[in-house]
Amino acid sequence: MEPEISYAKSRGLSIAYSVAGDGPLDLVVVPGFVSHQEAAFRQPAIARAMRRLSSFARVIGFDKPGTGLSDPAKGPSTLEERMEDLTAVLDAVGAERAALFGVSEGAPMCALFAASHPARTEALIMYGSYAKGIATDDYPWAPMQVQADMGGEMIEEEWGTGVMLEVYAPSKVDDPDFARWWAQYQRQAASPGMARAVAELASEVDIRDVLPAISVPTLVLHRTGDQLWPVEGARYISEQIEGAKFVECEGIDHFPFVGDSDALFSEVESFLTGSRRMPELERQLLTVMFTDIVDSTQRGAELGDRHWRNLLDGHDDVVREQIGRFRGEEVNTTGDGFLATFDGPARGIACASEITSAVRPLGIEVRAGLHTGECEIRGDDIGGITVNIGARISALAGPGEVLVSGTVKDLVVGSEIEFEPRGSHPLKGVPGEWDVFAATGAPRA
């Protein structure tokens, strides 16, 4: 998904903004902390979220000065200056009124704008937000000053390495592709000095006196396990805004586009449109590969917890290296195995074959199964009968064996991969019997 990037003039600066979709409602998504309007859309989870929002709204986003594609700035913008920038963007896109979706550090500015400019605010959504950046006796749901100072130092010293992923997206800590994207995104979105300055200014925010003055329809969204801004702060916000709707979503991630994002964006759509649609399933033709360690339970008992954990770590490193080498996508792990996808079955077979050989020096055997078919894309996961078939075929494989469905065999004709028939098998939960083959020979990567 590629947004349209344009520039608005505000305070003598060029403010980069993006527009996606052409729905009847104007929705401004104000990102938290730092942003980059182009690089954000290159993250599949963000692109998927934007497709969801743009299915019912014209979605507008912008980078604050000093970040992303906007003009450089000597320092971070104040809330009042950022309200000027938002007004300039609304004028540039011809939006007389718009709903505001403030994310994290972007939410306090949206709240101030809604209170100050109700005539231009259709509705207010505050996600992952806070009312005060530093803890006090009457607002204990924020970092202490010493914690904020340490955080600012860490940001400047480690910026561009993916710092703070463990609090922004705890569920993605073990996802190397996401971690790489977050590190690169940091480098694109702001310099280390600007990132620290924005974080320090965010910690000075206190909008508690503003909240009772908000009169527009308001939705306060927060995840129960948010580690960056505790949910108690969001409850406080909703109590201070008359008539505000508070929705507490399950999850531990601060980023709205990871975790159960469908549930979160369903709440946004329902609030803004009065209706709640089930998200349309995205479908894609993929080759799925399942691998698992043979006799893993027995080996774990023989080795003991510590040695088995070390062995699993070595196994995981080997498997991930081969998945990356053959341009596959890791979907998830199953403790002693992996589910990965490939856009071509030959690479999937080659990857599985390499894995079975590469793990043998560790003293273990791995088996693998592959099938090609249409998969349902469910955020970061996949589903559908294709996945079930791949899992069932993998379960039939012996130590060091790579089994494939007849579909896979037919799709790699001419690839120099050789196959041996392994008979027809009923697959649990799948109609009919399925021809299964063992991949042998030297696959052409």
Side-chain angles (χ1 to χ4, degrees):
M1 186 176 186
E2 287 293 333
E4 177 186 339
I5 304 294
S6 303
Y7 289 88
K9 280 292 184 181
S10 174
R11 304 181 286 120
L13 299 170
S14 293
I15 310 299
Y17 68 88
S18 67
V19 178
D22 57 1
L25 170 72
D26 284 328
L27 174 62
V28 182
V29 178
V30 181
F33 193 25
V34 297
S35 63
H36 190 294
Q37 292 301 307
E38 280 187 334
F41 281 78
R42 297 185 190 124
Q43 166 52 239
I46 294 179
R48 183 171 182 269
M50 290 300 105
R51 282 196 297 271
R52 177 72 186 276
L53 294 176
S54 63
S55 69
F56 63 85
R58 180 172 67 150
V59 182
I60 303 153
F62 68 96
D63 296 328
K64 62 175 72 77
T67 70
L69 297 170
S70 289
D71 270 350
K74 293 181 179 179
S77 303
T78 65
L79 293 183
E80 185 174 353
E81 289 171 334
R82 288 171 61 197
M83 285 201 298
E84 289 186 51
D85 300 340
L86 172 55
T87 300
V89 170
L90 290 176
D91 291 342
V93 300
E96 192 62 34
R97 287 171 61 84
L100 306 181
F101 184 0
V103 178
S104 189
E105 184 260 359
M109 186 277 285
C110 290
L112 182 58
F113 188 94
S116 305
H117 303 281
R120 301 205 70 172
T121 308
E122 189 75 33
L124 170 65
I125 301 170
M126 301 177 71
Y127 168 76
S129 185
Y130 60 99
K132 190 175 186 297
I134 296 296
T136 51
D137 290 342
D138 55 351
Y139 190 88
W141 314 292
M144 301 296 290
Q145 184 65 60
V146 64
Q147 293 174 306
D149 292 341
M150 290 173 61
E153 292 175 5
M154 182 172 65
I155 286 172
E156 185 166 14
E157 291 173 2
E158 300 181 35
W159 191 249
T161 66
V163 63
M164 297 185 71
L165 180 60
E166 66 277 6
V167 292
Y168 280 109
S171 70
K172 292 292 189 180
V173 168
D174 295 325
D175 183 335
D177 290 334
F178 192 91
R180 280 192 293 271
W181 169 80
W182 175 229
Q184 183 182 53
Y185 186 72
Q186 289 179 344
R187 298 190 294 271
Q188 294 170 318
S191 68
M194 179 58 73
R196 178 177 183 175
V198 171
E200 290 178 342
L201 186 61
S203 71
E204 298 176 14
V205 164
D206 185 351
I207 60 165
R208 288 177 297 171
D209 291 340
V210 172
L211 299 175
I214 295 173
S215 59
V216 303
T218 300
L219 171 65
V220 179
L221 272 173
H222 215 92
R223 285 187 170 134
T224 303
D226 192 322
Q227 299 177 33
L228 188 63
W229 295 108
V231 69
E232 290 83 1
R235 293 174 187 152
Y236 169 88
I237 291 172
S238 67
E239 291 167 358
Q240 300 303 307
I241 302 174
E242 185 176 356
K245 179 181 180 181
F246 175 63
V247 176
E248 186 173 324
C249 298
E250 294 296 321
I252 59 175
D253 294 300
H254 183 68
F255 285 152
F257 51 88
V258 298
D260 189 1
S261 59
D262 283 334
L264 194 151
F265 291 115
S266 289
E267 294 292 346
V268 172
E269 181 177 12
S270 176
F271 178 72
L272 293 176
T273 69
S275 63
R276 183 193 303 267
R277 296 172 302 135
M278 291 299 292
E280 294 183 6
L281 288 174
E282 298 181 37
R283 297 179 180 273
Q284 185 177 352
L285 184 71
L286 293 169
T287 296
V288 298
M289 177 190 75
F290 280 88
T291 69
D292 71 292
I293 300 173
V294 177
D295 296 330
S296 60
T297 302
Q298 179 181 337
R299 290 301 310 278
E302 292 172 351
L303 292 173
D305 289 344
R306 185 168 65 86
H307 292 299
W308 177 242
R309 182 66 261 171
N310 290 338
L311 182 59
L312 280 180
D313 288 343
H315 160 268
D316 292 353
D317 290 343
V318 168
V319 175
R320 288 193 171 109
E321 179 183 358
Q322 298 304 325
I323 291 173
R325 176 187 170 196
F326 290 96
R327 304 203 303 277
E329 293 289 337
E330 178 187 334
V331 177
N332 56 49
T333 62
T334 57
D336 62 350
F338 279 76
L339 166 58
T341 62
F342 300 82
D343 59 9
R347 282 202 304 278
I349 294 173
C351 180
S353 298
E354 288 295 326
I355 289 171
T356 60
S357 298
V359 299
R360 287 195 180 107
L362 299 176
I364 55 177
E365 290 280 0
V366 164
R367 59 185 174 185
L370 297 95
H371 178 58
T372 300
E374 191 176 60
C375 295
E376 299 169 359
I377 310 300
R378 302 172 175 172
D380 298 327
D381 204 356
I382 60 173
I385 195 169
T386 295
V387 178
N388 294 336
I389 293 171
R392 303 292 183 242
I393 290 176
S394 176
L396 297 172
E401 194 170 40
V402 177
L403 294 186
V404 305
S405 66
T407 303
V408 171
K409 173 180 175 293
D410 293 340
L411 287 173
V412 296
V413 171
S415 66
E416 299 179 1
I417 302 175
E418 299 176 358
F419 297 94
E420 295 178 358
R422 289 292 188 267
S424 295
H425 299 265
L427 304 179
K428 184 178 180 181
V430 182
E433 292 205 347
W434 290 73
D435 292 334
V436 176
F437 300 83
T440 61
R444 186 168 61 202

